[in-house]
Amino acid sequence: MNTITKEISQAIARLREAAPLVHNITNYVTVNDCANALLAIGASPIMADDPAESGDITAISSALVLNIGTLNRHTIDSMIAAGKRANECGVPVVFDPVGAGASRLRNDTVKEILELVKIAVLRGNISEVSFVAGLDATTKGVDASAADGRRDAVSVAGLVAEKLGCTVAITGAVDVISDGKRVVKIHNGHPMLSKVTGTGCMTTALVGAYAGANRDAFVAAAAGVASMGIAGEIAYKKAGQVGTGSFHIAILDELSQLDFAVMEARLKLDEA
């Protein structure tokens, strides 16, 4: 077992021991799934999206997750207030720029958050991360476009990592994690994950859980992405043939069963 595989596998033990409180200002379509995914992996979720308390809740949390899936001015103000407080308190911020490039509001919000908040991890698909990189991106709503999918994800991730001074996780058929110096490609997962609403949001929440219990943002990002991929693989074998509803629930079941041994045995990655 190579060093990075061992570090990623050990991260879940630290997470379950620490049981970090993870503050999520997230997509209301998937908020329940994110909360259940966090509970399953061993973290404690809290969702506080009023500007009057978002900063206070962040101050007592181990990590902050910002997800712009369902935007409005109210939540934008909350995200900025929480993000600034997180930076003041040394709380890692995980940012998911859902649908970046699809509308002026999303584009302006992404730019505003990245200007005002120092993030530890950016997690998105290739179209969203390409937009952050300043490249021409052709998003398909909240999904990556086929045109953007032909880009070199390693190069895009590295570009954004250096630009923002953070770890970048680009998820897709092959996931790419980069902090500008280290790069891994993760080959876990199953195509059926794309048929369940919220698996991307859940992945971002999982990254937040790992970031709240592990100081290395690169390891946290890789562990969160790998956890969803591995859970999806096992869930498909157990329930995928029944249908997407059963598969959905099975993902949560498998996240709750993940441990060092499962991660070590099933993690498939390449160091680039």
Side-chain angles (χ1 to χ4, degrees):
M1 180 173 56
N2 60 31
T3 301
I4 188 62
T5 297
K6 183 176 181 181
E7 290 178 358
I8 293 169
S9 300
Q10 289 175 333
I12 194 167
R14 289 190 288 270
L15 191 166
R16 293 195 183 279
E17 181 179 358
L21 178 65
V22 183
H23 182 197
N24 300 260
I25 303 177
T26 190
N27 185 342
Y28 63 66
V29 174
T30 63
V31 64
N32 186 62
D33 285 326
C34 290
N36 280 320
L38 287 168
L39 288 169
I41 206 70
S44 179
I46 186 167
M47 280 68 175
D49 66 359
D50 193 297
E53 70 164 354
S54 64
D56 292 340
I57 296 299
T58 297
I60 63 169
S61 299
S62 299
L64 171 66
V65 176
L66 304 178
N67 177 312
I68 66 167
T70 47
L71 272 185
N72 57 65
R73 192 66 246 176
H74 175 91
T75 54
I76 293 170
D77 292 343
S78 294
M79 287 180 185
I80 292 171
K84 288 182 176 180
R85 191 66 178 275
N87 289 167
E88 293 171 1
C89 298
V91 175
V93 180
V94 179
F95 181 43
D96 190 336
V98 179
S103 74
R104 181 175 178 179
L105 177 62
R106 289 178 189 275
N107 299 350
D108 290 346
T109 299
V110 169
K111 292 175 182 177
E112 185 176 13
I113 289 174
L114 293 179
E115 286 174 359
L116 298 176
V117 178
K118 171 63 177 174
I119 65 170
V121 181
L122 179 82
R123 203 294 306 173
N125 63 39
I126 186 64
S127 292
E128 293 158 350
V129 180
S130 292
F131 173 82
V132 174
L135 304 173
D136 290 332
T138 54
T139 57
K140 185 182 178 183
V142 297
D143 298 319
S145 70
D148 292 332
R150 290 190 286 272
R151 283 199 169 106
D152 179 9
V154 172
S155 296
V156 175
L159 177 63
V160 175
E162 292 181 5
K163 177 181 178 181
L164 300 179
C166 70
T167 293
V168 175
I170 299 179
T171 50
V174 176
D175 306 310
V176 172
I177 318 296
S178 174
D179 64 1
K181 297 178 180 178
R182 297 170 291 177
V183 180
V184 293
K185 292 182 178 181
I186 298 175
H187 299 271
N188 294 102
H190 191 276
M192 199 171 187
L193 285 167
S194 66
K195 302 300 182 183
V196 175
T197 296
T199 53
C201 300
M202 292 161 68
T203 300
T204 303
L206 292 173
V207 171
Y210 280 101
N214 295 270
R215 293 184 179 181
D216 190 331
F218 178 80
V219 170
V225 170
S227 293
M228 178 56 72
I230 291 169
E233 289 175 350
I234 303 172
Y236 180 76
K237 288 185 177 180
K238 293 185 176 180
Q241 302 303 320
V242 180
T244 55
S246 297
F247 176 63
H248 181 188
I249 296 302
I251 293 169
L252 295 175
D253 289 339
E254 298 311 320
L255 286 173
S256 73
Q257 298 299 311
L258 278 182
D259 58 18
F260 173 85
V262 176
M263 293 280 280
E264 179 187 12
R266 300 192 67 99
L267 183 58
K268 295 177 285 190
L269 63 76
D270 299 322
E271 292 186 75

